[in-house]
Amino acid sequence: MTIKPKIKGNWLELTIEAPLEGKTLEDILKQDLFISGRMIQRLTRQKGLFLNRKVPFLKKKVKTGDFLRVLVGDKEEGSLVPENIPIDVVYEDEEVLVVNKQAGLIVHPIKPGQTGTLAHGIAFYWLSKGVTGKVRPVHRLDKDTSGLLLMANNSYIHQLLDRQLREQTIKRTYLTIVHGRLAEKKGTIREPIGQDPQHPVKRKVTPKGEEAITHYEVVEEFQEASLVSVELETGRTHQIRVHFDYLGHPVLGDSLYGKKHPWIQRQALHAHRLEFLHPFREEKLSFEQPVPEDMKKLLEKLKESIPSV
């Protein structure tokens, strides 16, 4: 059964209908509302669960007409000190935030005390609107990768979107410029990716790695490079960069897996398109963001380098 709860402020509200009668409250929370056991424990501690305006037992069986309220807005204070870092907001509502990340910006702190990240900038943006709470990226982008990034506005929304990510219903399409011309203009790379034991940061294709699937199609070819559209089926660290390096076509400007390039100061990789189902409105949202200026200039120079016939 598909249920349609409503969000009012920080609370999710649901009137129990006949198909749910006889189920325990715990089963409804886990199976129908997709709330994790960890979040349920937190809700019981915070008095964030009410059935017919009373604090219920999790094993209580519900009846048709019962009224359930669940606290889904964050009471947790974010641990980041907000910083006035400009962010490019593409879309926002009460549940989600989509931003266009600039290259050179880390998404969130990766070590204690780290500052100057996108998450710090979002915390500042939210604070300016009177909103507090944790910054919750649904997926990641490397520091020097630009483009679209999805954020959840509370822990419950994050769980719903993370479920979409695991079920591969969030579609992420990238544009990248790689060295050389690919023999196959359209294809799928299915090679597992794991840690490179010789380097603390690098990843590599290895039989001991995790499943990694990358779909690609060549958009345009130049004398010694190709513009490629890439769709991720999985989301391993550095997946696009590792897979194209494995093919012998590393991303242009990628000093970690290839080499620096005089025409761009970072890897030529941009999260171009993002598509997902809104967790409450059952509406498919899609966004596109053109390549930033540095990749645009790189493409122009590559076109100019093609010898005339």
Side-chain angles (χ1 to χ4, degrees), residues 56-124:
F57 295 108
L58 291 176
K59 298 299 181 182
K60 180 177 177 60
K61 293 184 177 181
V62 301
K63 298 178 295 183
T64 300
D66 282 350
F67 182 62
L68 173 64
R69 298 185 81 226
V70 183
L71 179 65
V72 293
D74 284 326
K75 279 190 172 181
E76 300 174 272
E77 290 295 328
S79 59
L80 301 179
V81 177
E83 296 179 50
N84 190 6
I85 298 171
I87 62 170
D88 183 5
V89 176
V90 176
Y91 173 84
E92 66 177 319
D93 59 28
E94 291 185 352
E95 286 79 45
V96 300
L97 174 71
V98 178
V99 299
N100 178 34
K101 186 185 87 69
Q102 66 191 62
L105 196 59
I106 296 174
V107 171
H108 60 93
I110 55 177
K111 55 186 177 182
Q114 187 171 17
T115 59
T117 72
L118 176 67
H120 288 88
I122 290 174
F124 184 90

Coordinates of all heavy atoms in Angstrom, one line a residue, residues 56-124:
P56 N 2.9 6.6 22.5 CA 2.5 5.2 22.4 C 3.7 4.2 22.6 O 4.9 4.6 22.6 CB 2.1 5.1 21.0 CG 3.0 6.0 20.2 CD 3.4 7.1 21.2
F57 N 3.4 3.0 22.9 CA 4.3 1.9 22.8 C 4.6 1.5 21.4 O 3.6 1.5 20.6 CB 3.8 0.7 23.6 CG 3.7 0.9 25.1 CD1 2.4 1.0 25.7 CD2 4.8 1.1 25.9 CE1 2.3 1.3 27.0 CE2 4.7 1.3 27.3 CZ 3.4 1.4 27.8
L58 N 5.8 1.1 21.0 CA 6.1 0.8 19.6 C 5.4 -0.5 19.2 O 5.1 -0.6 18.0 CB 7.6 0.6 19.4 CG 8.4 1.9 19.6 CD1 9.9 1.5 19.5 CD2 8.1 2.9 18.5
K59 N 5.0 -1.4 20.1 CA 4.4 -2.6 19.7 C 2.8 -2.5 19.7 O 2.1 -3.5 19.4 CB 4.8 -3.7 20.7 CG 6.3 -4.1 20.7 CD 6.7 -4.5 19.4 CE 8.2 -4.9 19.4 NZ 8.7 -5.3 18.1
K60 N 2.3 -1.3 19.9 CA 0.9 -1.1 19.9 C 0.3 -1.3 18.5 O 0.9 -0.8 17.5 CB 0.6 0.3 20.4 CG -1.0 0.6 20.5 CD -1.2 2.0 21.0 CE -2.7 2.3 21.0 NZ -3.5 1.3 21.8
K61 N -0.8 -2.0 18.4 CA -1.4 -2.2 17.1 C -2.4 -1.1 16.8 O -3.1 -0.7 17.7 CB -2.1 -3.6 17.1 CG -1.2 -4.8 17.1 CD -1.9 -6.1 17.0 CE -1.0 -7.2 17.0 NZ -1.7 -8.5 16.9
V62 N -2.3 -0.6 15.6 CA -3.1 0.6 15.3 C -4.5 0.2 14.7 O -4.7 -1.0 14.3 CB -2.4 1.5 14.2 CG1 -1.1 1.9 14.8 CG2 -2.2 0.7 12.9
K63 N -5.4 1.1 14.7 CA -6.7 0.9 14.2 C -7.1 2.0 13.2 O -6.5 3.1 13.2 CB -7.8 1.0 15.3 CG -7.6 -0.1 16.4 CD -8.7 0.1 17.5 CE -8.4 1.4 18.3 NZ -9.4 1.5 19.4
T64 N -8.0 1.7 12.3 CA -8.4 2.6 11.3 C -8.9 3.9 12.0 O -9.7 3.9 13.0 CB -9.6 2.1 10.4 OG1 -9.1 0.9 9.8 CG2 -10.1 3.1 9.4
G65 N -8.4 5.1 11.5 CA -8.8 6.3 12.1 C -7.8 6.9 13.1 O -7.9 8.1 13.5
D66 N -6.9 6.0 13.6 CA -5.9 6.5 14.5 C -5.1 7.6 13.8 O -4.8 7.6 12.6 CB -4.9 5.4 14.9 CG -5.6 4.5 16.0 OD1 -6.6 4.9 16.5 OD2 -5.0 3.4 16.3
F67 N -4.6 8.5 14.6 CA -3.9 9.7 14.1 C -2.4 9.7 14.6 O -2.2 9.7 15.8 CB -4.6 11.0 14.5 CG -3.9 12.2 13.9 CD1 -3.9 12.4 12.6 CD2 -3.4 13.2 14.8 CE1 -3.3 13.6 12.1 CE2 -2.9 14.3 14.3 CZ -2.8 14.6 12.9
L68 N -1.5 9.6 13.7 CA -0.1 9.4 14.0 C 0.7 10.7 13.7 O 0.5 11.3 12.6 CB 0.6 8.3 13.3 CG 2.1 8.1 13.4 CD1 2.5 7.7 14.8 CD2 2.5 7.0 12.4
R69 N 1.5 11.2 14.7 CA 2.4 12.4 14.4 C 3.8 11.9 14.7 O 4.1 11.3 15.8 CB 2.0 13.5 15.3 CG 0.6 14.1 15.0 CD 0.3 15.3 15.9 NE 0.9 16.5 15.2 CZ 1.6 17.5 15.9 NH1 1.9 17.3 17.2 NH2 2.1 18.5 15.2
V70 N 4.7 12.3 13.8 CA 6.1 12.0 13.9 C 7.0 13.2 13.8 O 6.8 13.9 12.7 CB 6.6 10.9 12.9 CG1 8.0 10.5 13.1 CG2 5.6 9.7 13.0
L71 N 7.8 13.5 14.7 CA 8.7 14.6 14.6 C 9.8 14.3 13.6 O 10.7 13.5 13.8 CB 9.3 15.0 15.9 CG 10.3 16.1 16.0 CD1 9.6 17.4 15.7 CD2 11.0 16.2 17.4
V72 N 9.8 15.0 12.4 CA 10.8 14.8 11.4 C 11.7 16.0 11.2 O 12.8 15.9 10.6 CB 10.2 14.4 10.1 CG1 9.5 13.1 10.1 CG2 9.2 15.5 9.6
G73 N 11.4 17.1 11.8 CA 12.3 18.3 11.8 C 13.4 18.1 12.8 O 13.2 17.4 13.8
D74 N 14.6 18.5 12.5 CA 15.7 18.3 13.3 C 15.7 19.1 14.6 O 15.5 20.3 14.6 CB 17.0 18.6 12.6 CG 17.4 17.6 11.6 OD1 17.1 16.4 11.9 OD2 18.0 17.9 10.5
K75 N 15.8 18.4 15.7 CA 16.1 19.1 17.0 C 17.6 19.2 17.2 O 18.1 19.9 18.0 CB 15.5 18.3 18.2 CG 14.0 18.6 18.4 CD 13.5 18.1 19.7 CE 12.1 18.5 20.0 NZ 11.6 18.0 21.3
E76 N 18.4 18.4 16.4 CA 19.8 18.3 16.5 C 20.4 19.6 16.0 O 20.1 20.0 14.9 CB 20.4 17.2 15.7 CG 19.9 15.8 16.1 CD 20.4 14.7 15.2 OE1 19.7 14.5 14.2 OE2 21.5 14.2 15.4
E77 N 21.3 20.2 16.8 CA 22.0 21.4 16.3 C 23.1 21.0 15.4 O 23.9 20.0 15.8 CB 22.4 22.2 17.5 CG 21.3 22.9 18.3 CD 20.6 24.0 17.5 OE1 21.2 24.6 16.6 OE2 19.4 24.1 17.7
G78 N 23.4 21.7 14.4 CA 24.5 21.4 13.5 C 25.8 21.8 14.3 O 25.9 22.7 15.1
S79 N 26.8 21.0 14.0 CA 28.1 21.2 14.7 C 29.0 22.2 14.0 O 30.1 22.6 14.5 CB 28.9 19.9 14.8 OG 29.1 19.3 13.5
L80 N 28.6 22.6 12.8 CA 29.5 23.5 12.0 C 29.2 25.0 12.4 O 28.1 25.4 12.6 CB 29.1 23.4 10.5 CG 29.3 22.0 9.9 CD1 28.9 22.0 8.4 CD2 30.8 21.5 10.0
V81 N 30.3 25.7 12.4 CA 30.2 27.2 12.6 C 29.9 27.8 11.2 O 30.7 27.7 10.3 CB 31.5 27.8 13.2 CG1 31.4 29.3 13.3 CG2 31.8 27.1 14.5
P82 N 28.7 28.5 11.0 CA 28.4 29.0 9.7 C 29.5 30.0 9.2 O 30.0 30.8 10.0 CB 27.1 29.7 10.0 CG 26.5 29.0 11.2 CD 27.7 28.7 12.0
E83 N 29.8 29.9 7.9 CA 30.7 30.8 7.3 C 30.1 31.4 6.1 O 29.3 30.8 5.3 CB 32.0 30.1 6.9 CG 32.8 29.5 8.0 CD 34.0 28.8 7.5 OE1 34.8 29.4 6.7 OE2 34.2 27.6 7.9
N84 N 30.4 32.7 5.9 CA 29.8 33.4 4.7 C 30.5 33.1 3.4 O 31.3 33.8 2.9 CB 29.8 34.9 5.0 CG 29.0 35.7 4.0 OD1 28.3 35.2 3.1 ND2 29.1 37.1 4.0
I85 N 30.2 31.9 2.9 CA 30.7 31.4 1.7 C 29.6 31.4 0.7 O 28.6 30.7 0.9 CB 31.3 29.9 1.9 CG1 32.4 29.9 2.9 CG2 31.8 29.4 0.5 CD1 32.9 28.6 3.3
P86 N 29.8 32.1 -0.4 CA 28.7 32.2 -1.4 C 28.3 30.8 -2.0 O 29.2 30.0 -2.3 CB 29.3 33.1 -2.5 CG 30.4 33.8 -1.9 CD 30.9 32.9 -0.8
I87 N 27.0 30.5 -2.0 CA 26.5 29.3 -2.6 C 25.5 29.6 -3.7 O 24.8 30.6 -3.7 CB 25.9 28.3 -1.6 CG1 24.7 28.9 -0.9 CG2 26.9 27.9 -0.6 CD1 23.9 28.0 -0.1
D88 N 25.5 28.8 -4.7 CA 24.6 29.0 -5.9 C 23.4 28.0 -5.7 O 23.5 26.8 -6.0 CB 25.4 28.7 -7.2 CG 24.5 28.9 -8.4 OD1 23.4 29.4 -8.3 OD2 25.0 28.6 -9.5
V89 N 22.3 28.6 -5.2 CA 21.1 27.8 -5.0 C 20.3 27.6 -6.3 O 19.9 28.6 -6.9 CB 20.2 28.4 -3.9 CG1 18.9 27.6 -3.8 CG2 20.9 28.5 -2.6
V90 N 20.1 26.4 -6.7 CA 19.3 26.1 -8.0 C 17.9 25.9 -7.7 O 17.0 26.3 -8.4 CB 19.9 24.9 -8.6 CG1 19.1 24.5 -9.9 CG2 21.4 25.1 -9.0
Y91 N 17.6 25.2 -6.5 CA 16.2 24.9 -6.1 C 16.1 24.7 -4.6 O 17.1 24.1 -4.1 CB 15.7 23.7 -6.9 CG 14.3 23.2 -6.4 CD1 13.2 23.8 -6.9 CD2 14.2 22.2 -5.4 CE1 11.9 23.4 -6.5 CE2 12.9 21.8 -5.0 CZ 11.8 22.4 -5.5 OH 10.6 22.0 -5.1
E92 N 15.1 25.1 -4.0 CA 14.9 24.7 -2.6 C 13.4 24.8 -2.3 O 12.6 25.5 -2.8 CB 15.6 25.7 -1.7 CG 15.1 27.1 -1.7 CD 15.9 28.0 -0.7 OE1 16.2 27.5 0.4 OE2 16.2 29.1 -1.0
D93 N 13.0 23.9 -1.3 CA 11.7 23.9 -0.7 C 11.9 23.5 0.8 O 13.0 23.5 1.3 CB 10.7 23.1 -1.4 CG 11.1 21.6 -1.6 OD1 11.8 21.1 -0.7 OD2 10.6 21.0 -2.5
E94 N 10.8 23.1 1.5 CA 11.0 22.8 2.9 C 11.7 21.4 3.1 O 12.1 21.1 4.2 CB 9.6 22.7 3.5 CG 8.9 24.1 3.7 CD 7.6 24.0 4.4 OE1 7.2 22.9 4.7 OE2 7.1 25.1 4.7
E95 N 11.8 20.6 2.0 CA 12.4 19.3 2.2 C 13.8 19.2 1.6 O 14.6 18.4 2.1 CB 11.5 18.2 1.5 CG 10.2 17.9 2.3 CD 9.1 18.9 2.1 OE1 8.9 19.4 1.0 OE2 8.5 19.4 3.1
V96 N 14.1 19.8 0.5 CA 15.3 19.6 -0.2 C 16.0 20.9 -0.7 O 15.3 21.9 -0.8 CB 15.1 18.7 -1.5 CG1 14.6 17.3 -1.1 CG2 14.2 19.4 -2.5
L97 N 17.2 20.8 -0.9 CA 18.0 21.9 -1.4 C 18.9 21.4 -2.5 O 19.6 20.4 -2.3 CB 18.8 22.6 -0.3 CG 19.8 23.7 -0.7 CD1 19.1 25.0 -1.1 CD2 20.8 24.0 0.5
V98 N 18.9 22.0 -3.7 CA 19.8 21.7 -4.8 C 20.8 22.9 -5.0 O 20.3 24.0 -5.2 CB 19.1 21.3 -6.1 CG1 20.0 21.0 -7.2 CG2 18.1 20.2 -5.9
V99 N 22.1 22.6 -5.0 CA 23.0 23.7 -5.2 C 23.9 23.4 -6.4 O 24.1 22.2 -6.7 CB 23.9 24.0 -4.0 CG1 23.0 24.4 -2.8 CG2 24.7 22.8 -3.6
N100 N 24.5 24.4 -7.0 CA 25.5 24.2 -8.0 C 26.9 24.5 -7.4 O 27.2 25.6 -7.1 CB 25.2 25.2 -9.2 CG 26.2 25.1 -10.3 OD1 26.8 24.1 -10.6 ND2 26.6 26.3 -10.9
K101 N 27.6 23.4 -7.1 CA 28.9 23.6 -6.4 C 30.0 24.1 -7.3 O 30.1 23.6 -8.4 CB 29.3 22.2 -5.8 CG 30.6 22.3 -4.9 CD 31.0 21.0 -4.4 CE 32.0 20.3 -5.4 NZ 33.3 21.0 -5.5
Q102 N 30.7 25.0 -6.9 CA 31.9 25.5 -7.6 C 33.0 24.6 -7.4 O 33.2 23.9 -6.4 CB 32.2 26.9 -7.2 CG 32.8 27.0 -5.8 CD 32.9 28.5 -5.3 OE1 31.9 29.2 -5.2 NE2 34.1 28.9 -5.0
A103 N 33.9 24.5 -8.4 CA 35.1 23.7 -8.3 C 36.0 24.3 -7.3 O 36.1 25.5 -7.0 CB 35.8 23.7 -9.7
G104 N 36.8 23.4 -6.6 CA 37.7 23.9 -5.6 C 37.2 23.9 -4.2 O 37.8 24.3 -3.2
L105 N 35.9 23.6 -4.0 CA 35.2 23.6 -2.7 C 34.9 22.2 -2.2 O 34.2 21.5 -2.9 CB 33.9 24.5 -2.9 CG 33.2 25.0 -1.6 CD1 34.1 25.9 -0.8 CD2 31.9 25.7 -2.0
I106 N 35.4 21.9 -1.1 CA 35.1 20.6 -0.5 C 33.6 20.6 0.0 O 33.1 21.6 0.5 CB 36.0 20.3 0.7 CG1 37.5 20.2 0.2 CG2 35.6 19.0 1.5 CD1 38.5 20.1 1.3
V107 N 32.9 19.5 -0.2 CA 31.5 19.4 0.2 C 31.3 19.6 1.7 O 30.4 20.3 2.2 CB 30.8 18.1 -0.3 CG1 29.4 18.0 0.2 CG2 30.8 18.1 -1.8
H108 N 32.0 18.8 2.5 CA 31.9 18.8 3.9 C 33.2 18.5 4.6 O 34.1 18.0 4.0 CB 30.8 17.8 4.4 CG 31.2 16.4 4.0 ND1 31.8 15.6 4.9 CD2 31.0 15.7 2.9 CE1 32.0 14.4 4.3 NE2 31.5 14.5 3.1
P109 N 33.4 18.9 5.9 CA 34.7 18.6 6.5 C 35.0 17.1 6.5 O 34.2 16.3 6.8 CB 34.4 19.1 8.0 CG 33.3 20.1 7.9 CD 32.4 19.6 6.8
I110 N 36.3 16.8 6.2 CA 36.8 15.4 6.3 C 37.7 15.2 7.4 O 38.2 14.1 7.6 CB 37.4 15.1 4.9 CG1 38.5 16.0 4.5 CG2 36.3 15.0 3.8 CD1 39.2 15.7 3.2
K111 N 38.0 16.2 8.2 CA 38.9 16.1 9.3 C 38.4 17.1 10.4 O 37.8 18.1 10.1 CB 40.3 16.3 9.0 CG 40.7 17.6 8.3 CD 42.1 17.6 7.9 CE 42.5 18.9 7.1 NZ 43.9 18.9 6.6
P112 N 38.7 16.8 11.7 CA 38.2 17.7 12.7 C 38.7 19.1 12.6 O 39.9 19.3 12.3 CB 38.7 17.0 14.0 CG 38.9 15.6 13.6 CD 39.3 15.6 12.2
G113 N 37.9 20.1 12.8 CA 38.3 21.5 12.8 C 38.4 22.1 11.4 O 38.7 23.3 11.2
Q114 N 38.1 21.3 10.3 CA 38.3 21.8 9.0 C 37.2 22.9 8.7 O 36.0 22.7 9.1 CB 38.2 20.7 8.0 CG 38.4 21.2 6.5 CD 38.6 20.0 5.6 OE1 38.1 18.9 5.9 NE2 39.1 20.2 4.4
T115 N 37.5 24.0 8.0 CA 36.6 25.0 7.7 C 36.6 25.3 6.2 O 37.3 24.7 5.5 CB 37.0 26.3 8.5 OG1 38.3 26.7 8.1 CG2 36.9 26.1 10.0
G116 N 35.7 26.2 5.8 CA 35.7 26.7 4.4 C 35.1 25.7 3.5 O 35.4 25.7 2.3
T117 N 34.2 24.9 3.9 CA 33.5 23.9 3.0 C 32.2 24.4 2.6 O 31.6 25.4 3.1 CB 33.4 22.5 3.7 OG1 32.3 22.7 4.7 CG2 34.7 22.1 4.4
L118 N 31.6 23.7 1.6 CA 30.3 24.0 1.1 C 29.3 23.9 2.2 O 28.4 24.7 2.4 CB 29.9 23.1 0.0 CG 28.5 23.2 -0.6 CD1 28.3 24.5 -1.3 CD2 28.2 22.1 -1.5
A119 N 29.4 22.9 3.1 CA 28.5 22.7 4.2 C 28.5 23.9 5.1 O 27.5 24.3 5.7 CB 28.9 21.5 5.0
H120 N 29.7 24.5 5.4 CA 29.7 25.8 6.2 C 29.0 26.9 5.5 O 28.3 27.7 6.2 CB 31.2 26.2 6.4 CG 32.0 25.3 7.3 ND1 32.6 24.2 6.9 CD2 32.2 25.4 8.7 CE1 33.2 23.6 7.9 NE2 33.0 24.3 9.0
G121 N 29.1 27.0 4.2 CA 28.3 28.0 3.5 C 26.8 27.8 3.5 O 26.1 28.8 3.7
I122 N 26.4 26.5 3.4 CA 25.0 26.2 3.5 C 24.4 26.5 4.9 O 23.3 27.0 5.1 CB 24.7 24.8 3.1 CG1 25.0 24.6 1.6 CG2 23.3 24.4 3.5 CD1 24.9 23.2 1.1
A123 N 25.3 26.2 5.9 CA 24.8 26.5 7.3 C 24.6 28.0 7.5 O 23.7 28.4 8.2 CB 25.9 26.0 8.3
F124 N 25.5 28.8 6.9 CA 25.3 30.3 6.9 C 24.1 30.7 6.2 O 23.3 31.6 6.7 CB 26.6 30.9 6.3 CG 26.6 32.4 6.4 CD1 27.1 33.1 7.5 CD2 26.0 33.2 5.4 CE1 27.1 34.5 7.6 CE2 26.0 34.6 5.5 CZ 26.5 35.2 6.6

